[in-house]
Amino acid sequence: DQQVKQNSPSLSVQEGRISILNCDYTNSMFDYFLWYKKYPAEGPTFLISISSIKDKNEDGRFTVFLNKSAKHLSLHIVPSQPGDSAVYFCAASALSGGSNYKLTFGKGTLLTVNP
Amino acid sequence: NAGVMQNPRHLVRRRGQEARLRCSPMKGHSHVYWYRQLPEEGLKFMVYLQKENIIDESGMPKERFSAEFPKEGPSILRIQQVVRGDSAAYFCASSPPGQGGPQHFGDGTRLSIL
């Protein structure tokens, strides 16, 4: 039973354009969401997070949007750069449920930014 | 990722042998987590430890797997009598004391079972 779903295994965009990566979740207890970027043969690197009390969080070129009613979040990267090419993982946890440490990951989306 | 140190980076074992994976958390971090990633999958939570305590091992297989985080030294994930299905990337993460804040990951140990 996959509680965090990233339905697009891959995404290809042109340099300078916007990249939009999507993530859906089914567990209504999730209230803290994170995006990680992963290069081959490396560990995931934290990018940005959002708690359920917000619907948007921005950090430089990265913005995460949360739609709680739809149980959907998205990561926007503007403008996209070739160095952004990596696998992006969406992760969720239940902060208020006392198991904030247990991250549930999606399967990832491979983003390719073409020069 | 340099903050969380995992070794070895690659480990090859034959079926039936033991595998020991080590993780040193970032400086100042007292919480350690282990995750496993199978090919084409996301990371799956295995265990959460604090110094000398296992807080949650609900993601650990019931047999052959154990983890510890001693008062001194790195955290160890131990797999006894390895089988082919144990082949995966094992990631360790750490976080500082207290709630909230992201987990920071090491570069993983890639375990291959012959």
Side-chain angles (χ1 to χ4, degrees), chain B residues 18-94:
Chain B
E18 178 179 287
R20 283 192 181 224
L21 289 63
R22 286 177 290 277
C23 168
S24 296
M26 283 180 72
K27 189 174 181 181
H29 287 194
S30 56
H31 298 195
V32 166
Y33 319 82
W34 286 92
Y35 291 81
R36 177 165 67 174
Q37 185 185 23
L38 297 170
E40 311 299 324
E41 296 285 325
L43 283 71
K44 297 273 195 304
F45 169 83
M46 298 180 75
V47 63
Y48 163 40
L49 310 107
Q50 295 177 17
K51 284 284 187 184
E52 300 184 280
N53 280 307
I54 298 174
I55 308 302
D56 183 345
E57 57 182 348
S58 59
M60 290 269 274
K62 295 278 185 282
E63 297 174 351
R64 302 186 298 108
F65 284 71
S66 62
E68 62 176 11
F69 188 16
K71 189 176 179 182
E72 301 291 336
S75 175
I76 306 283
L77 179 67
R78 183 182 179 209
I79 312 173
Q80 295 179 289
Q81 298 173 322
V82 295
V83 301
R84 288 245 168 90
D86 297 333
S87 295
Y90 292 83
F91 291 97
C92 170
S94 71

Side-chain angles (χ1 to χ4, degrees), chain A residues 42-85:
Chain A
E42 292 186 12
T45 301
F46 170 72
L47 271 178
I48 192 168
S49 63
I50 188 167
S51 76
S52 59
I53 61 172
K54 292 185 168 184
D55 54 20
K56 177 182 172 182
N57 189 24
E58 199 170 348
D59 184 1
R61 296 187 297 116
F62 302 92
T63 304
V64 56
F65 295 92
L66 175 62
N67 182 334
K68 282 175 291 186
S69 60
K71 293 193 177 69
H72 176 84
L73 61 154
S74 60
L75 175 68
H76 293 210
I77 307 173
V78 183
S80 302
Q81 299 173 353
D84 295 330
S85 298

Side-chain angles (χ1 to χ4, degrees), chain A residues 18-35:
Chain A
I18 183 171
S19 295
I20 300 176
L21 298 107
N22 293 303
C23 178
D24 298 291
Y25 61 97
T26 57
N27 188 339
S28 56
M29 296 294 292
F30 288 150
D31 55 9
Y32 183 58
F33 305 90
L34 309 91
W35 284 93

Side-chain angles (χ1 to χ4, degrees), chain A residues 36 41 43-44 101-103 105-106, chain B residues 1 9 35 42 56 58 103 106-107:
Chain A
Y36 284 85
Y101 51 83
K102 192 183 292 188
L103 295 180
F105 282 83
Chain B
N1 290 335
R9 291 295 311 277
Y35 291 81
D56 183 345
S58 59
Q103 295 173 19
D107 284 339

